[in-house]
C-alpha cells in the first residue's frame, strides 16, 4: 500500500509477514482446546488477519485474507481427539436415552393421574345423581303422603266422617289381631280373646283419645263437629258390631 515504507521500513516484507502470521497463528491456537481447533478455523483466520494488519501498518503492507489450509496433529493426539469425540457422542446418546425414559415415565404418570381424576369425578357425579334421585323420591313420597293426609282430613270433616273413621279403625284392629300368629312366633292375646266387642271398644277408645287430643294450629270447628257426631257414631258402631258377631 506504501512503497516507501515497504522499501525502508522492513528489509524483507514477505518474510516478515509470513513470520508474523505463523507466530500469531501459534498464539491463537494456544487459546483453543483441541476439540475446537477445526471448528474455529474461520475465527482463527480473522484474528490472524487483524494481527498482521496492526503490525504491518508501518511496513506499508495490508493483508486482505489469510487461510489455514490444513492442521496436522500427532497420531496420539489425533487418537485422543477421536476417543474424546466418541465419548461425547456416547454421552449425548446416553443423555438423550435417559431424557426419553424420563419423558416416558412422566407421560405414563400423567396419564394415570388424569385417569384417576376422571374416575373420581365420574364417581362423584354418580353419587350426586343417586343422592338427587333419592331426594326426589323422598320428596315425592312426602308430597303424596301429605296429600293423602290432607284428603283424609277433609273427609273426616264431612258428614258421618267420624263414624267412617271409627269403622275403619275397628276393621283394621280385628284384621291385625287375626294375623298375629301368622307373621311371627310371638302371640299377644288379650284377657278375653273371645269377646270381639271389648276388642273393638278398646280400639275405639284409642282412636277417641287421639281425636280428642289438642292439635297445635288446628281449628276449633273439627272437635265440635266430632262431639256432635258421637251419637251417630255409636249407633253405626253398634250396627257394625252386630254384623261382625253374626259373621
Amino acid at each position: 500500500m506504501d512503497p516507501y515504507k515497504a522499501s525502508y521500513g522492513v528489509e524483507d516484507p514477505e518474510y516478515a509477514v509470513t513470520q508474523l502470521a505463523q507466530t500469531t497463528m501459534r498464539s491463537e491456537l494456544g487459546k483453543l482446546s483441541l476439540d475446537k481447533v477445526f471448528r474455529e478455523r474461520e475465527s482463527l483466520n480473522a484474528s490472524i488477519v487483524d494481527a498482521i494488519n496492526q503490525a504491518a501498518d508501518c511496513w506499508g503492507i495490508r493483508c486482505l485474507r489469510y487461510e489455514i489450509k490444513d492442521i496436522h496433529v500427532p497420531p496420539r493426539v489425533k487418537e485422543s481427539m477421536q476417543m474424546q469425540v466418541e465419548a461425547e457422542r456416547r454421552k449425548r446418546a446416553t443423555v438423550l436415552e435417559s431424557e426419553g425414559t424420563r419423558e416416558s415415565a412422566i407421560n405414563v404418570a400423567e396419564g394415570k393421574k388424569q385417569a384417576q381424576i376422571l374416575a373420581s369425578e365420574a364417581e362423584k357425579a354418580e353419587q350426586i345423581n343417586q343422592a338427587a334421585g333419592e331426594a326426589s323420591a323422598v320428596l315425592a313420597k312426602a308430597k303424596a303422603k301429605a296429600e293423602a293426609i290432607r284428603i283424609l282430613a277433609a273427609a273426616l270433616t264431612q258428614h258421618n266422617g267420624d263414624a267412617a273413621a271409627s269403622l275403619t279403625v275397628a276393621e283394621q284392629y280385628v284384621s291385625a289381631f287375626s294375623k298375629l300368629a301368622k307373621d311371627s312366633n310371638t302371640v299377644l292375646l288379650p284377657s278375653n280373646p273371645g269377646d270381639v266387642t271389648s276388642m273393638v271398644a278398646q280400639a275405639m277408645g284409642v282412636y277417641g283419645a287421639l281425636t280428642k287430643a289438642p292439635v297445635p294450629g288446628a281449628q276449633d270447628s273439627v272437635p265440635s263437629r266430632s262431639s256432635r257426631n258421637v251419637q251417630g257414631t255409636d249407633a253405626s258402631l253398634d250396627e257394625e258390631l252386630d254384623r261382625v258377631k253374626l259373621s
Side-chain angles (χ1 to χ4, degrees):
M1 304 299 294
D2 191 345
Y4 181 80
K5 292 181 179 181
S7 299
Y8 296 97
V10 64
E11 181 179 358
D12 190 350
E14 184 178 354
Y15 177 76
V17 170
T18 304
Q19 293 299 317
L20 180 61
Q22 292 179 358
T23 303
T24 305
M25 183 174 62
R26 293 190 185 97
S27 177
E28 293 295 332
L29 287 174
K31 298 177 182 179
L32 301 175
S33 58
L34 289 177
D35 56 345
K36 294 183 179 180
V37 170
F38 296 97
R39 291 182 293 178
E40 300 294 335
R41 186 175 298 183
E42 294 182 358
S43 62
L44 286 174
N45 294 334
S47 300
I48 293 171
V49 169
D50 293 338
I52 291 174
N53 290 330
Q54 291 177 5
D57 187 32
C58 59
W59 300 340
I61 298 174
R62 182 175 180 81
C63 179
L64 300 179
R65 183 176 179 182
Y66 186 90
E67 185 71 26
I68 297 177
K69 183 178 180 180
D70 196 4
I71 297 176
H72 298 280
V73 296
R76 293 184 179 179
V77 176
K78 190 174 181 179
E79 292 178 359
S80 299
M81 292 176 64
Q82 291 179 353
M83 292 175 63
Q84 184 178 1
V85 171
E86 292 178 358
E88 288 292 334
R89 291 176 180 175
R90 288 194 298 268
K91 177 183 176 181
R92 287 195 296 269
T94 304
V95 170
L96 291 176
E97 184 178 359
S98 63
E99 290 181 354
T101 304
R102 182 172 66 105
E103 291 294 334
S104 176
I106 291 174
N107 292 335
V108 173
E110 189 68 23
K112 292 181 178 179
K113 177 182 176 182
Q114 293 295 331
Q116 292 179 356
I117 291 174
L118 293 177
S120 62
E121 290 179 354
E123 184 177 359
K124 177 182 177 182
E126 182 181 359
Q127 292 178 356
I128 291 174
N129 293 333
Q130 185 177 0
E134 292 178 356
S136 300
V138 171
L139 182 60
K141 291 180 180 179
K143 289 182 178 179
K145 187 174 182 180
E147 185 66 22
I149 294 174
R150 189 180 300 110
I151 295 174
L152 179 60
L156 290 175
T157 59
Q158 295 179 2
H159 181 65
N160 293 330
D162 294 338
S166 301
L167 177 60
T168 304
V169 171
E171 290 180 350
Q172 291 181 356
Y173 186 86
V174 174
S175 177
F177 183 78
S178 64
K179 295 180 180 180
L180 287 176
K182 296 180 180 179
D183 296 338
S184 63
N185 295 329
T186 303
V187 180
L188 299 177
L189 296 176
S191 58
N192 50 353
D195 190 0
V196 181
T197 305
S198 62
M199 291 189 296
V200 175
Q202 183 179 359
M204 293 308 302
V206 175
Y207 176 74
L210 293 176
T211 55
K212 291 179 181 179
V215 179
Q219 298 180 357
D220 297 335
S221 59
V222 176
S224 61
R225 184 178 180 86
S226 300
S227 61
R228 287 195 303 267
N229 294 331
V230 171
Q231 295 178 357
T233 302
D234 294 337
S236 300
L237 180 59
D238 292 336
E239 295 178 357
E240 181 63 23
L241 290 176
D242 294 336
R243 184 178 62 83
V244 171
K245 290 179 178 181
L246 292 176
S247 61

